[in-house]
Amino acid sequence: MKAIVYLGAFILVAGYLLFFANPSLVMYNAGGRSSGALGNPNGLGMFCFLFFMLFFVIQHYFPALFKKKERIIILFLIFSSLLWSGSRGQTLSLLIFFVTQFLSKRNKTVGLLLSAAIGIMLVSIDIDIVAIAQALGFEDYLRVETLNAGGGRVVARDFAFEQIQKNFWIGKGFSYTEYIYGQNYLRLSLLGHEGNAHNAFLTVWLDTGFIGLLLFVLGWGILFLKASQNSYLAFPIAFAVMASNMVESWLIGSLNPFTIQLLMILTLLVFIVKDAPSASHKRVRHIRPKPFPGFSSPANALAK
């Protein structure tokens, strides 16, 4: 776990080293946002979002792994890189994690209900985000001139729903989303859109239909339900991941630096750690991971 965290920190440091070597290697959009070592500002934002949650889980259950100075340096790298990336969606997702984690800390059921209520309110209530951002002085970071159009994501979403109606139940096959957005690149770019669907759930729906979307959500849902039996952090992480994938499609890829970190987190929560019986959740006990079928533990191997 220490090696994984050190590797993540090194990736963030590499972004700064590239900047000092040649700013043009990492700066995007006329120098306003950094892509770090990830090649894209939103990629850097997603990495920071997931790396923070992975580090949070490790630090929560294994507090003796890192010294105070190490924790400060790692957190500084994460938050400075996230702000440097200018990724609004991942910043909001991290805030959702903080809120839901705080609500769930004392009572998982109450936290789940309150978090769900907050999510419904954010979706259903018309909030003037532009006015709030200007009042707080965050208009430059939030790029308020593109908020109403969602940075092209509203265009991407409307186009996805338009295409979904053509094959609602079974979709058009894997990677169809990339194909159809590529075929309509000129039309969409004129409307202010760049990239793909920017939504993992719409991407799955386009590729595999509504049936595939249900199976996709069910599969991940079962994993988070298993994790929730051991840790109160499971649902806060699930809410944050859902929010993140409403603006990006990283969850559909298995071999990217984002989904892999989520699978590491779930592995910890399902197999390695468990909250103490105390309602405060301040003390935890560590449990031995069960050996996978067909493999003997080191102790058994030595005994044999």
Side-chain angles (χ1 to χ4, degrees):
M1 288 185 289
K2 290 186 74 173
I4 290 170
V5 171
Y6 287 154
L7 175 61
F10 175 77
I11 291 173
L12 297 180
V13 169
Y16 284 98
L17 295 177
L18 288 170
F19 172 78
F20 289 124
N22 186 350
S24 64
L25 294 174
V26 298
M27 299 311 292
Y28 174 83
N29 194 21
R33 304 172 65 191
S34 171
S35 60
L38 275 296
N40 180 279
N42 289 326
L44 177 60
M46 289 184 285
F47 183 86
C48 291
F49 162 67
L50 285 154
F51 182 47
F52 172 80
M53 290 200 300
L54 177 61
F55 178 67
F56 186 95
V57 171
I58 292 174
Q59 180 59 32
H60 180 75
Y61 288 106
F62 303 92
L65 271 183
F66 298 96
K67 299 177 181 178
K68 184 178 180 180
K69 289 183 179 180
E70 290 179 311
R71 294 197 299 269
I72 293 173
I73 292 173
I74 292 169
L75 290 175
F76 172 78
L77 286 171
I78 292 172
F79 288 115
S80 63
S81 297
L82 179 61
L83 293 174
W84 202 21
S85 74
S87 178
R88 299 171 298 193
Q90 305 314 308
T91 302
L92 177 60
S93 299
L94 200 56
L95 290 175
I96 289 173
F97 171 73
F98 281 129
V99 172
T100 53
Q101 185 270 145
F102 175 79
L103 294 174
S104 301
K105 192 170 185 179
R106 297 290 177 178
N107 189 301
K108 286 193 289 187
T109 303
V110 173
L112 175 62
L113 294 175
L114 289 175
S115 300
I118 291 173
I120 293 172
M121 288 174 59
L122 289 174
V123 172
S124 59
I125 297 177
D126 187 13
I127 301 174
D128 192 347
I129 299 178
V130 174
I132 295 174
Q134 291 174 341
L136 295 175
F138 294 150
E139 60 268 25
D140 290 336
Y141 177 74
L142 293 176
R143 307 189 302 283
V144 294
E145 70 278 2
T146 65
L147 276 174
N148 290 332
R153 286 175 173 80
V154 174
V155 174
R157 181 192 63 195
D158 292 343
F159 179 74
F161 278 120
E162 174 189 318
Q163 298 300 316
I164 284 170
Q165 308 310 314
K166 299 179 180 180
N167 209 318
F168 187 89
W169 293 103
I170 59 174
K172 291 289 187 77
F174 293 119
S175 297
Y176 175 70
T177 303
E178 296 177 13
Y179 168 77
I180 194 64
Y181 275 85
Q183 289 293 305
N184 292 270
Y185 172 78
L186 182 59
R187 167 193 164 187
L188 295 172
S189 63
L190 292 174
L191 296 173
H193 169 268
E194 292 182 8
N196 215 309
H198 292 294
N199 187 307
F201 307 103
L202 291 179
T203 300
V204 173
W205 199 344
L206 272 168
D207 288 356
T208 62
F210 189 70
I211 296 173
L213 177 62
L214 286 178
L215 295 174
F216 179 78
V217 173
L218 180 63
W220 283 106
I222 290 174
L223 286 175
F224 278 106
L225 283 174
K226 287 184 177 181
S228 69
Q229 296 173 7
N230 292 337
S231 173
Y232 83 96
L233 291 173
F235 285 132
I237 292 171
F239 275 104
V241 167
M242 288 173 59
S244 175
N245 278 274
M246 292 297 289
V247 294
E248 296 294 348
S249 302
W250 58 264
L251 194 59
I252 64 169
S254 58
L255 294 177
N256 58 43
F258 317 120
T259 307
I260 290 172
Q261 290 191 80
L262 178 60
L263 291 174
M264 290 178 182
I265 293 169
L266 286 169
T267 300
L268 285 168
L269 298 186
V270 174
F271 295 107
I272 309 299
V273 302
K274 189 176 182 68
D275 287 337
S278 171
S280 68
H281 296 289
K282 290 183 179 179
R283 298 183 62 190
V284 299
R285 64 184 177 89
H286 308 295
I287 59 175
R288 284 170 171 258
K290 296 178 181 179
F292 289 97
F295 291 87
S296 299
S297 66
N300 291 338
L302 289 174
K304 291 179 181 179

